[in-house]
Every structure is written in C-alpha cells, then in structure tokens.
Amino acid sequence: MGRTIAYVGVPTSLGSYGPGQEKAPQAFRDEGFPQMLREEGLTVVDYGDLSVRRWHPDRKDPLAQHWEAVTACVQGTDAHLSEAVTQRHIPVVIGGNCTVELRVVAANLRTCESLGLIYMDLHADMNTPASTADGALDWMGVAHMLGLNGAIPQLATCGPRSPLIFPAQVHLVGFDADSATEWERTAIRDLSIATTHLDDVAQSPISVQTRSYPNGR
C-alpha cells in the first residue's frame, strides 16, 4: 500500500532547553507506534534508533549550545538514512527536538532537489544566536535551513546544499505570531514566508489541509 516507510528514532535533547526530550523515541516505541503504522496497512522498515544524546549546560557556547554536537547529529542522521532515501522510502523520524527537521530535509535532498516543508509548530524556529539570548537551537532550525544572516555556518552548510531550503518552499502551519521574536516576524515578512495561523488550524484543520503548500524550486 503505497511507498515504504523508513522508521528512525533520533533520541537527542542537545538542542533543547533542558534534558528529557531525548526520551521521546523510546516512548513512541513503548506505545507500539511502529506496529500501529503496520496495522494501518503501511509497510514499515525499522532502521532503529541512533545513540542517546542528553542535554547539559554548555558553558563554552551559551548562545548556541552544543552546536557542534547538533551538527554531527544532523550529519549522522543523514548518513543513517542514506540507504532508505536511495530506495525511495519515506523517512518517518521521531526526534527529541525541533532540530530534527534539518536531518530529514538534508537526507531527502540526496534524491530530491525540490522539496516543500510544511512546518507544523507554534513557533517559526527562525531565530539565530544573535537574535535570542537563551541559546537553544531548538528554535533556530528553520533559520539554519534557510541560511539566514547570523546562522552558524557549520550547521547551515551541514547538508548536501546551502541553503537547504528556500523561502518559497516553507509553509508555517499553526504559527502563533505573538510567540515570535521581532527578528522572526521581520524575516517572515521580508522573505514572504507562507503562514497559516494557529486559530485557523484550530477552527478548520481540514480546510487548512486542502490549501496550497509551498512549491519546490
């Protein structure tokens, strides 16, 4: 029934605000999520979980905590998925935090140059180390995929191309502008990033689903 799903867990909280999110992949397994997908008639190949990486305070780079390890994790996930994407499987990656999208996009670009990113999140995650003082890469992932000014060069260029994705390919779904920084709101406006507000999603998820999504380049 359709294409095969490549199921992968990336148990990391290195890009987070604290430890705990690295437990998510195992929690999904404990609840039998891979088998639930099979019971829906989907073909699932389980590629296992990568090594657990747990957050701790980064005194060296407080404004971009653990960026080197996060970059290595992106590259490791990309490599882990190389066989799956070569076989045209659909990666389903259960991650620890919002840096997971860099890994999935980077892996898919190995076989598909034209992608559209439907980013379902309350936040735009378009901050950089220069635009926020908390230092969590958890809400900087999209900024690095887009290669925004102030992004960490090594993380922004960790995939097969730079930028990983273009503004016209991004659609922020469930976005709450009130939760965004001024930097993010300005970037969204200047780059003409498509957005669907949280209230619209709550009012009618089905109508949101049928709207046009970003066109690839």
Side-chain angles (χ1 to χ4, degrees):
M1 179 179 175
R3 288 165 57 189
T4 298
I5 286 176
Y7 189 93
V8 177
V10 185
T12 177
S13 56
L14 288 177
S16 307
Y17 300 87
Q21 291 179 323
E22 76 282 353
K23 298 179 181 180
Q26 187 58 52
F28 272 74
R29 290 187 180 279
D30 291 345
E31 293 300 318
F33 185 57
Q35 183 57 30
M36 293 178 191
L37 296 176
R38 295 187 178 99
E39 291 172 356
E40 292 297 321
L42 300 171
T43 301
V44 179
V45 177
D46 195 334
Y47 282 80
D49 294 353
L50 277 69
S51 300
V52 175
R53 294 175 171 89
R54 181 177 171 85
W55 181 91
H56 59 275
D58 185 353
R59 310 300 185 191
K60 177 185 174 184
D61 294 295
L63 295 182
Q65 296 194 42
H66 305 295
W67 70 264
E68 292 174 298
V70 169
T71 300
C73 190
V74 172
Q75 294 170 330
T77 306
D78 183 1
H80 192 71
L81 286 169
S82 61
E83 177 186 347
V85 297
T86 298
Q87 297 185 42
R88 310 295 292 183
H89 294 173
I90 302 172
V92 172
V93 181
I94 308 300
N97 61 63
C98 291
T99 59
V100 68
E101 72 269 14
L102 283 93
R103 303 155 196 169
V104 179
V105 169
N108 276 285
L109 283 173
R110 300 294 177 185
T111 58
C112 179
E113 294 184 359
S114 180
L115 295 176
L117 178 64
I118 303 169
Y119 199 69
M120 300 184 68
D121 198 309
L122 186 71
H123 306 109
D125 293 345
M126 289 174 60
N127 286 291
T128 71
S131 72
T132 178
D134 63 37
L137 294 172
D138 193 48
W139 70 334
M140 302 186 197
V142 177
H144 283 80
M145 283 193 294
L146 291 168
L148 299 186
N149 289 335
I152 302 163
Q154 295 90 333
L155 184 55
T157 60
C158 66
R161 76 180 187 197
S162 181
L164 283 173
I165 203 163
F166 300 99
Q169 295 174 293
V170 179
H171 191 135
L172 305 176
V173 177
F175 172 60
D176 180 10
D178 292 336
S179 69
T181 63
E182 185 60 32
W183 166 270
E184 289 178 304
R185 288 191 288 268
T186 299
I188 290 168
R189 182 195 67 216
D190 292 349
L191 296 174
S192 300
I193 300 288
T195 63
T196 299
H197 196 270
L198 174 65
D199 292 342
D200 295 328
V201 177
Q203 182 176 4
S204 181
I206 294 177
S207 66
V208 169
Q209 179 182 355
T210 58
R211 293 178 185 176
S212 299
Y213 288 116
N215 296 318
R217 284 189 180 178

